[in-house]
Amino acid sequence: METKRFKTDAACGGCVAHIGAKLNKIVSADQWSIDLTTPDKVLTITSDYPDEKIIATVKEAGYKAEPIR
């Protein structure tokens, strides 16, 4: 599995909970985290899913995600 990082527009714990509810449907809770202390609100996820699937899942929760290269 690959560890990937995405810039998000999550702003608070509630945002993380909404995103998490969607992410937990495709990966286990211990495979992702969002660091709200960074300016880019970085989502780190360990998964074999393509970037597009992860971005679409975050979008389903009502938030944006873009890959960090």
Side-chain angles (χ1 to χ4, degrees), residues 19-33:
I19 294 169
K22 298 295 184 181
L23 287 175
N24 288 341
K25 292 180 180 180
I26 64 168
V27 297
S28 65
D30 65 346
Q31 291 180 286
W32 67 270
S33 65

Side-chain angles (χ1 to χ4, degrees), residues 4-24 29-46 54 57-58 61 63-65 68:
K4 302 176 182 190
R5 295 170 18 111
F6 297 85
K7 177 181 176 180
T8 72
D9 61 348
C12 64
C15 300
V16 173
H18 284 124
I19 294 169
K22 298 295 184 181
L23 287 175
N24 288 341
D30 65 346
Q31 291 180 286
W32 67 270
S33 65
I34 298 177
D35 185 353
L36 295 177
T37 65
T38 62
D40 289 337
K41 314 301 186 206
V42 176
L43 162 64
T44 303
I45 185 167
T46 303
I54 296 165
T57 302
V58 173
Y63 299 90
K64 297 178 186 174
I68 298 173

